[in-house]
């Protein structure tokens, strides 16, 4: 029980709240943009473009407000980029693989187009959790 309490107090603090606010706005912009661009760019093109654009704003605001990082700018930027890339590939790769498999088995009437759109939403959730951990524990560590 003590370990759970320590983990909870470590992660549940001001940085998480600010991260969620910034992330919520970024997620909204990214999801809307990805959905709008999906027809023209496809799954990977739409999500990659929107994540690149939103990541620039995320870096600036999370470095300054969420984590109040004093780590060297270049070090933070490189680490942040690595976290974003790894989280993107894991979350969107897993979602692109698992969601269509799940939907095909349990909801076969859902079109592949809608399966991809649902996969993008599921990936956002996975991405947000992985991204917070990566930023908190490594990217903005001084």
């Amino acid at each position: 029980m003590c370990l759970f309490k320590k983990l909870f107090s470590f992660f549940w603090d001001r940085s998480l709240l600010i991260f969620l606010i910034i992330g919520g706005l970024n997620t909204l912009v990214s999801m809307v943009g990805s959905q709008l661009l999906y027809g023209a760019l496809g799954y990977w093109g739409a999500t990659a473009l929107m994540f690149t654009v939103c990541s620039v704003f995320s870096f600036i605001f999370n470095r300054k407000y969420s984590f109040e990082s004093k780590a060297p700018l270049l070090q933070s930027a490189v680490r942040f980029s690595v976290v974003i890339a790894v989280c993107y590939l894991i979350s969107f790769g897993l979602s692109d693989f698992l969601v269509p498999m799940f939907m095909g088995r349990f909801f076969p009437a859902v079109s592949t187009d809608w399966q991809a759109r649902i996969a993008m939403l599921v990936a956002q959730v996975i991405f947000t959790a992985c991204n917070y951990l990566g930023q908190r524990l490594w990217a903005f560590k001084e």
Side-chain angles (χ1 to χ4, degrees), residues 45-106:
T47 60
L49 177 61
M50 289 312 301
F51 264 77
T52 301
V53 170
C54 289
S55 291
V56 171
F57 293 103
S58 179
F59 173 76
I60 294 165
F61 290 112
N62 281 319
R63 183 174 197 276
K64 182 169 177 72
Y65 299 110
S66 297
F67 303 109
E68 298 175 348
S69 178
K70 304 289 187 237
L73 183 62
L74 183 59
Q75 173 187 310
S76 297
V78 169
R79 287 181 173 188
F80 179 86
S81 298
V82 169
V83 168
I84 292 293
V86 169
C87 291
Y88 172 79
L89 291 172
I90 288 171
S91 62
F92 282 84
L94 275 174
S95 189
D96 188 37
F97 175 72
L98 294 176
V99 169
M101 185 174 25
F102 176 83
M103 298 295 288
R105 180 172 173 107
F106 295 104

Side-chain angles (χ1 to χ4, degrees), residues 10-22:
F10 177 76
F11 288 110
W12 193 257
D13 65 359
R14 180 179 175 273
S15 72
L16 178 61
L17 178 62
I18 295 171
F19 177 87
L20 290 174
I21 292 168
I22 292 168

Side-chain angles (χ1 to χ4, degrees), residues 75 78-80 82-83 133-142:
Q75 173 187 310
V78 169
R79 287 181 173 188
F80 179 86
V82 169
V83 168
L133 291 173
Q135 287 187 38
R136 171 85 189 250
L137 299 175
W138 188 60
F140 294 116
K141 199 79 166 166
E142 296 174 29

Side-chain angles (χ1 to χ4, degrees), residues 1-12:
M1 187 65 171
C2 186
L3 177 63
F4 178 74
K5 190 174 183 178
K6 285 181 182 179
L7 282 173
F8 184 79
S9 66
F10 177 76
F11 288 110
W12 193 257

